[in-house]
Amino acid sequence: MVSSLSEWFWNERLWFPEGLGWADLEDKDGRVYAKASDLWVVLPIALAFLVIRQIFEGLVATPLAAVMGVKEKVRLIVSHNPTLESFYCNTTKNPSQSSIDSLCKQTGCSERQVQRWFRRRRNQDRPSLLKKFKEASWRFTFYLLAFIAGLAALIDKPWLYDFKEMWQGFPILTLLPSQYWYYMIELGFYVSLIFSVASDVKRKDFKEQMVHHMATIFLISFSWCVNYIRAGTLIMLLHDSSDYLLESAKIFIYAGWRNTSNYVFFLFAAVFIFTRLYIFPFYIIYSTYIYPMTMYSPFFGYYFLNFLMMVLQCLHIFWAILILRMAVRFLSSDEKVEDERSDKEETDESGEEEEWVEKKGAVQNGHAAHNNHRKTE
């Protein structure tokens, strides 16, 4: 059954126009073509990224946080209460009023004490400011270098300026060394994000992020296997062009550089909307949907490619709405730009029971706390 399924999956009638197939992509006369077997190298690259990230966060991001003035905060530790802890871990982190009343009877605590315990317990589980800064620094570094490398690899390619060139000679398109490494490194990075998802900062759009990562991995892998590499390099370059701006805006937010973060955010918003809502649908998707039909009859690979492209575009629209909401709120109230996807810290209502306490020399997560100003992502 497995062999039959494999034979069906790799049927060239699914992935190529009529009259073309895998035999056309066999290496010959010094010409090298992309092969599915090449993708195995992605796994060691992804693992290497995980190791490099740990080194980067320790040797680069942490000192950078100190230089930029990232102020870590000390969270009050909740008192040990087996009943409340069991409810928190096994039932819900946000108890209803009826649940609070029941817990008050079980523990002998007042309603205010139970509410405060859950607020502090939720804050304990939230990622520290330093953790978010290090994650943003790592992603900023990768996206910026990937964008520069991608631009260098494509700057002299005709399909960067004329999208019709993506399909000239398809699928018999020779693989260039720059394309090989651009693909493998990008794919390895996204696979590493899947591996590190358990330890990364979780935001409100976690599910959408996972869909994006999986769709990106499938799109890159699929375009590699059937030699849609020219289209793939353009898509990766387009995405990298705005991603590093978002991460840099986060870095400045965590460092408390309000004005700088606002300017960078609006620059990111402009680039994002221009590339994701204009260039991507009206040029990239247009070229993958219209141009192939001028040369070939429709085939499954053509539909599958455009299906993945539409999944990405739906996610682009979802994030564009969040970005515009953030921009409108900022312009109307002149508040600090904040990431709507992130959980915000909760504070106690009583002034004598302050959620954040500054203690000289206090250490949280191995780093000294310096002030008690509230910052959120």
Side-chain angles (χ1 to χ4, degrees):
M1 179 179 178
V2 175
S3 60
S4 298
L5 181 61
S6 177
E7 183 179 351
W8 171 83
F9 181 81
W10 294 108
N11 189 328
E12 57 190 23
R13 294 281 65 79
L14 290 176
W15 309 114
F16 295 101
E18 186 175 356
L20 297 169
W22 301 112
D24 297 300
L25 299 183
E26 294 180 358
D27 297 347
K28 54 187 174 182
D29 301 328
R31 296 167 65 90
V32 179
Y33 300 95
K35 302 176 184 62
S37 58
D38 296 334
L39 296 178
W40 286 111
V41 75
V42 168
L43 293 179
I45 290 177
L47 294 176
F49 268 126
L50 295 177
V51 174
I52 295 171
R53 174 177 177 175
Q54 294 303 313
I55 297 173
F56 174 88
E57 290 185 351
L59 299 182
V60 179
T62 300
L64 179 63
V67 170
M68 295 186 68
V70 175
K71 307 297 183 181
E72 195 53 278
K73 302 166 185 176
V74 177
R75 292 185 172 115
L76 293 180
I77 305 301
V78 297
S79 59
H80 179 63
N81 190 310
T83 301
L84 298 182
E85 184 68 25
S86 176
F87 188 91
Y88 180 88
C89 296
N90 301 321
T91 306
T92 180
K93 299 178 180 180
N94 297 278
S96 62
Q97 184 59 49
S98 60
S99 296
I100 291 177
D101 294 339
S102 176
L103 291 170
C104 289
K105 295 177 182 179
Q106 296 178 50
T107 60
C109 299
S110 67
E111 177 179 327
R112 187 187 187 105
Q113 288 174 323
V114 171
Q115 292 173 337
R116 185 173 64 248
W117 189 95
F118 275 93
R119 281 195 297 270
R120 291 179 174 176
R121 184 65 180 83
R122 286 192 293 268
N123 280 339
Q124 283 183 210
D125 283 350
R126 290 188 171 93
S128 67
L129 197 64
L130 180 61
K131 178 179 175 63
K132 293 190 285 188
F133 180 90
K134 291 192 294 185
E135 180 179 312
S137 299
W138 166 247
R139 296 193 183 196
F140 164 78
T141 301
F142 174 81
Y143 290 135
L144 178 60
L145 294 178
F147 175 67
I148 294 173
L151 193 61
L154 293 175
I155 195 69
D156 61 341
K157 305 301 186 293
W159 59 88
L160 178 62
Y161 310 99
D162 183 0
F163 292 157
K164 290 183 180 180
E165 291 291 330
M166 285 192 294
W167 304 104
Q168 294 300 321
F170 173 82
I172 310 174
L173 303 173
T174 304
L175 177 65
L176 303 175
S178 59
Q179 294 173 325
Y180 173 85
W181 286 111
Y182 190 28
Y183 253 80
M184 295 302 110
I185 291 175
E186 283 272 356
L187 187 54
F189 178 76
Y190 280 104
V191 172
S192 74
L193 293 183
I194 298 296
F195 289 162
S196 64
V197 67
S199 60
D200 283 346
V201 176
K202 290 183 175 59
R203 297 179 172 85
K204 295 177 183 178
D205 65 342
F206 172 77
K207 294 181 180 179
E208 289 81 5
Q209 284 281 6
M210 288 302 298
V211 171
H212 173 267
H213 293 340
M214 295 304 298
T216 300
I217 290 171
F218 276 122
L219 181 57
I220 295 176
S221 302
F222 166 70
S223 64
W224 177 267
C225 292
V226 294
N227 220 15
Y228 291 152
I229 293 178
R230 292 182 177 179
T233 53
L234 288 176
I235 295 170
M236 292 187 295
L237 180 68
L238 181 138
H239 281 74
D240 291 337
S241 67
S242 61
D243 286 343
Y244 73 91
L245 292 172
L246 173 61
E247 301 303 330
S248 63
K250 292 180 185 178
I251 289 173
F252 292 123
I253 288 175
Y254 304 148
W257 298 18
R258 174 178 174 176
N259 290 335
T260 305
S261 68
N262 291 342
Y263 295 142
V264 174
F265 170 78
F266 282 110
L267 177 60
F268 156 73
V271 174
F272 183 96
I273 292 173
F274 178 73
T275 56
R276 309 288 182 96
L277 300 187
Y278 178 65
I279 297 296
F280 190 77
F282 295 109
Y283 288 89
I284 303 292
I285 293 182
Y286 181 87
S287 67
T288 60
Y289 185 76
I290 299 297
Y291 293 155
M293 293 302 93
T294 64
M295 297 179 285
Y296 308 107
S297 300
F299 55 101
F300 177 79
Y302 158 82
Y303 292 116
F304 187 65
L305 171 66
N306 284 285
F307 167 75
L308 293 176
M309 300 279 277
M310 292 307 300
V311 170
L312 284 182
Q313 185 57 30
C314 289
L315 292 171
H316 294 166
I317 294 172
F318 169 79
W319 284 314
I321 293 173
L322 292 182
I323 291 169
L324 291 174
R325 285 173 55 184
M326 292 165 61
V328 169
R329 188 173 67 243
F330 169 77
L331 291 174
S332 60
S333 61
D334 195 31
E335 296 178 352
K336 179 177 66 176
V337 172
E338 294 182 346
D339 193 342
E340 284 201 350
R341 305 171 302 159
S342 299
D343 272 343
K344 294 180 174 59
E345 302 287 352
E346 299 174 274
T347 56
D348 291 332
E349 298 172 356
S350 171
E352 62 185 5
E353 296 169 337
E354 193 69 22
E355 181 72 12
W356 301 108
V357 178
E358 180 180 4
K359 295 180 180 179
K360 183 177 181 181
V363 175
Q364 196 259 348
N365 287 339
H367 297 278
H370 300 285
N371 67 17
N372 64 345
H373 295 293
R374 177 173 177 264
K375 297 178 194 172
T376 57
E377 181 185 10

